[in-house]
Amino acid sequence: MTATADFRQMAQYIGLAICALIMRTTFWVFGILWGIVREIVNGVFRVAIGIIVAILSTIAFFGFILWLFTL
């Protein structure tokens, strides 16, 4: 009876250790993927803001030139 109980307890510990390892690995992979997605989204926003600033700067430049023509 004691050997069976020891075997069950050891099997339970091994099962919990394997489950913990699988969960840690899953969260590790999810963290890596989340970091990649976050960098892609940040890059897209950075490019979009750069394009908006370039368009506004071009409009301001030509507006300034047109204003100079009215002097």
Side-chain angles (χ1 to χ4, degrees):
M1 186 67 179
T2 305
T4 304
D6 288 343
F7 180 73
R8 282 186 182 173
Q9 188 176 13
M10 186 59 69
Q12 185 179 12
Y13 287 151
I14 291 172
L16 286 173
I18 290 172
C19 182
L21 178 65
I22 290 171
M23 291 299 292
R24 281 194 312 180
T25 305
T26 303
F27 284 132
W28 178 69
V29 170
F30 180 72
I32 290 174
L33 292 176
W34 178 253
I36 292 171
V37 169
R38 190 177 61 204
E39 287 297 321
I40 290 172
V41 170
N42 285 339
V44 168
F45 277 124
R46 192 175 300 135
V47 168
I49 290 172
I51 290 172
I52 290 170
V53 168
I55 290 171
L56 290 176
S57 297
T58 305
I59 291 170
F61 175 73
F62 284 114
F64 180 69
I65 295 297
L66 289 174
W67 177 76
L68 284 177
F69 283 142
T70 62
L71 293 178

